[in-house]
Amino acid sequence: MPLLADLARCRGCLGSLGTGAVAGLCARCWSLLVPLPEERCPLCAQPHGGGEACADPVAWAWGDALWDYHAGLGPLLVPGIKRGELGWLRALLGRAEGASLPPWAGGYDLVCPVPTSGLRRWWRGFDLAEQAAELVARRLGIAFRRVLRKPLLARAQTGLPRSQRQRMGAQVTLRAGQGVRGAAVLVVDDVWTTGTTFLRCAGALDREGAREVAVLALFRAGRRSG
Ligand SMILES: [Zn+2]
Ligand SMILES: [Zn+2]
């Protein structure tokens, strides 16, 4: 008589789960956490020629990510985790424990997560960027601090032109009592797409006198791999 586990299907590929399955995904699917191409730009983490400018603006000393979003499990895992797939969250963080971190990352004074609005965080019960940042800080032996904040709602926005609303909504600021003057700060996010969020964070840190900023994401979703 077959075991129930033998009949269960992988939620990624719909094949049989087999040995090594974790949180409803088979070992083959989990192996699809694909590193970025070796030949990538040290600023935008995208593969482009050394003489070519980055496709999107960058404002940091170093930028990298652990995995390629579109080449692998990203489009399944990340939305699933944000819907509350805690098994996937734990498994992904487990993989992040073993993934290689960029060699420059150890040179920073503190690690801070890209801020999520408090409402969204409350609704989900956790925040993937923050969990990733805590993990990176622990692995590097560097302080973890939530230095940045994103306003819950910008009250005065109604009635303003759309472009102005977007600018206001884009605000990222330092939390009260969180000085970064002279500090080298590593900002961590879950998915890096255009880099707009990182730009806002780097801008806020620069304004407050941070000495250097670098960015690191779990996944890089690039134009080229889209
Ligand atoms: Zn599978
Ligand atoms: Zn680049």
Side-chain angles (χ1 to χ4, degrees), residues 60 132 135 149 159 166 173 212:
W60 40 80
L135 183 147
R149 66 183 288 273
Q166 283 170 342
T173 56
E212 188 170 305

Side-chain angles (χ1 to χ4, degrees), residues 2 20 69 93 106 110 112 119 136-138 141 145 177 184 187 191 210 224:
Y69 186 77
L93 293 173
L110 66 100
C112 93
L119 190 61
V136 167
R138 182 168 40 74
R145 274 167 54 195
V187 183
V191 182
R224 282 155 202 262

Side-chain angles (χ1 to χ4, degrees), residues 56-166:
D56 292 307
V58 291
W60 40 80
W62 298 98
D64 210 350
L66 303 189
W67 302 298
D68 189 322
Y69 186 77
H70 290 292
L73 265 188
L76 175 71
L77 278 183
V78 175
I81 286 171
K82 291 186 172 182
R83 280 193 311 267
E85 296 277 359
L86 297 183
W88 290 1
L89 171 67
R90 278 190 296 272
L92 182 67
L93 293 173
R95 305 285 156 144
E97 288 284 353
S100 60
L101 297 175
W104 45 260
Y108 285 78
D109 301 318
L110 66 100
V111 176
C112 93
V114 160
T116 312
S117 80
L119 190 61
R120 197 173 297 177
R121 187 199 151 93
W122 171 81
W123 184 67
R124 283 187 198 141
F126 67 90
D127 180 53
L128 183 55
E130 193 172 298
Q131 301 235 352
E134 275 183 307
L135 183 147
V136 167
R138 182 168 40 74
R139 281 192 57 190
L140 295 170
I142 296 171
F144 166 83
R145 274 167 54 195
R146 292 179 198 87
V147 296
L148 298 169
R149 66 183 288 273
K150 195 170 156 186
L152 186 56
L153 294 167
R155 259 169 306 155
Q157 285 187 21
T158 42
L160 292 176
R162 186 178 159 78
S163 60
Q164 203 170 337
R165 278 206 311 275
Q166 283 170 342

